[in-house]
Amino acid sequence: MQSTAIAHANIALIKYWGKRDKALNLPATGSLSLTLDGLNTTTSVDFDSALEADRILLNSETPDRQAASRISAFLDLVYRYFHSSGDQRPFASVTSGNNFPTAAGLASSASGFAALAVAAAHALNANANPEQLSMLARRGSGSAARSIYGGIVEMAHGQRADGLDCIASQLHKPDYWNLNVLIAVTDAGSKKVSSTDGMQLTMETSPYYQAWVAGAEADLASARQAIAARDFEALASVTEFSTLKMHASALAAQPGVIYWNAATLAAVHCIRELRSDGLPVCFTMDAGPQVKAICTADVADQVSEKLQQAPGVVRIISCSLGDGARLQPS
Ligand code: 2P0
């Protein structure tokens, strides 16, 4: 009953920010992302009827109660999905490790719940298909639905109230377009406001939230079209539009949610200058102070060298496009 899976983080070009159903974790908008090869979570799950409670280790440490109960609740959900009989779930030993800083806006919940979904389903002997795994991963964390797939991935808004069609799918394989993502780390500490809390406050209080939701379908269409034509300039334009609108909606929450620091803006201006000098590069930012530069691989060294010099940038993590979540030999 023991299984190990690996999953990669993903970076959204068209963002998910806000939910239409909190209980089922259904996003208010679709989203579109790149799965990255450099940032991994590896997770082992062992259901063991001899255990008297779940035993969870994240990055070799016992997680706080909230993180532990989120994982136990997710295991309950996966078990119930595959065992409709109502049997009591056996407790599990879960060991998970990231090769990058946790909870610093580097999408650790995406790779974390994608790896956990794959490992838990397999440990239960369930013959799950990627659509089922994506749907389950979404219940753990919205962005995790996308990390089930590699390359360029779209998360559907879905129409059904039960969320069964609210899953991701692959638009293009990792080798479709030789893009790199350079993550300019400006602060490796934990973020102050989680994505879940930041988007909730934005939904409840930001006067710009409705405008944010209303623009998402058009942004997704523009991004799909730019990608189909491998038109970097068009993709850069809609990528920056989406991230700046997401942050504008959060900044206008009450109280405002500010994820940026001074180095975040220094990196953004550096990337804008590089693009005005003719380099195919653009930026995106998530629920944290890191800046992700997206560029074609041929200019990655040049972009990395400049970005490293932006005041306050601590280091650069360089990624290309990676594969979807998968089992690992134990
Ligand atoms: C994204 N983010 O599309 C957006 C942009 C952060 C900023 O998906 O509440 O951790 O667990 O579903 O998946 C991060 O949100 O939120 C995220 P929950 P999640 O990548």
Side-chain angles (χ1 to χ4, degrees):
M1 291 258 272
Q2 205 248 2
S3 293
T4 301
I6 184 168
H8 302 281
N10 69 76
I11 297 294
L13 306 182
I14 306 302
K15 303 295 188 189
Y16 147 50
W17 195 248
K19 303 176 200 264
R20 69 178 194 281
D21 183 309
K22 213 170 151 188
L24 292 173
N25 208 28
L26 301 179
T29 65
S31 55
L32 188 151
S33 59
L34 307 177
T35 301
L36 307 181
D37 69 348
L39 309 180
N40 313 329
T41 301
T42 304
T43 300
S44 295
V45 177
D46 188 2
F47 289 100
D48 181 351
S49 48
L51 290 174
E52 290 182 358
D54 289 331
R55 273 215 310 246
I56 301 170
L57 276 182
L58 299 185
N59 292 317
S60 311
E61 288 177 10
T62 306
D64 64 37
R65 192 173 297 194
Q66 198 185 357
S69 60
R70 192 171 168 191
I71 290 168
S72 293
F74 185 75
L75 294 176
D76 291 343
L77 181 95
V78 175
Y79 190 82
R80 274 201 315 276
Y81 183 77
F82 292 112
H83 290 81
S84 46
S85 61
D87 299 352
Q88 179 82 9
R89 163 174 82 78
F91 290 113
S93 171
V94 175
T95 311
S96 185
N98 296 330
N99 72 342
F100 58 94
T102 302
L106 292 181
S108 57
S109 69
S111 51
F113 280 100
L116 188 61
V118 173
H122 189 259
L124 291 169
N125 275 326
N127 204 3
N129 61 38
E131 290 80 10
Q132 291 172 311
L133 292 168
S134 182
M135 185 277 295
L136 288 168
R138 184 203 78 233
R139 297 286 300 269
S141 193
S143 51
R146 302 187 307 238
S147 277
I148 295 296
Y149 296 93
I152 305 177
V153 178
E154 181 167 351
M155 174 75 189
H157 172 276
Q159 302 303 327
R160 294 173 57 129
D162 62 9
L164 293 181
D165 60 349
C166 189
I167 58 175
S169 59
Q170 185 179 60
L171 291 181
H172 298 283
K173 296 201 167 106
D175 62 0
Y176 171 76
W177 196 353
N178 201 357
L179 295 174
N180 278 15
V181 177
L182 305 171
I183 300 168
V185 177
T186 64
D187 180 354
S190 286
K191 59 192 170 197
K192 314 282 181 290
V193 182
S194 72
S195 305
T196 308
D197 292 348
M199 67 175 83
Q200 181 68 26
L201 190 66
T202 304
M203 283 165 63
E204 286 168 359
T205 64
S206 175
Y208 300 161
Y209 179 67
Q210 288 311 326
W212 155 254
V213 171
E217 278 304 316
D219 293 348
L220 282 166
S222 302
R224 260 185 245 120
Q225 201 176 354
I227 291 165
R230 293 193 186 84
D231 178 345
F232 191 90
E233 191 56 39
L235 185 62
S237 167
V238 73
T239 295
E240 293 186 358
F241 190 41
S242 179
T243 192
L244 290 173
K245 283 193 293 182
M246 177 205 121
H247 283 275
S249 72
L251 286 165
Q254 181 65 287
V257 182
I258 307 171
Y259 285 114
W260 304 341
N261 60 30
T264 310
L265 283 176
V268 161
H269 287 297
C270 169
I271 291 165
R272 275 270 166 101
E273 269 171 42
L274 290 170
R275 189 149 91 260
S276 66
D277 290 346
L279 292 194
V281 58
C282 66
F283 62 79
T284 189
M285 293 146 321
D286 295 293
Q290 332 308 348
V291 177
K292 289 92 178 189
I294 295 133
C295 62
T296 56
D298 54 320
V299 301
D301 287 348
Q302 247 176 300
V303 172
S304 179
E305 201 177 307
K306 284 281 187 203
L307 208 46
Q308 183 73 71
Q309 290 163 15
V313 170
V314 181
R315 69 177 172 126
I316 308 285
I317 302 171
S318 182
C319 305
S320 46
L321 301 199
D323 291 321
R326 59 206 178 271
L327 289 166
Q328 290 281 90
S330 300

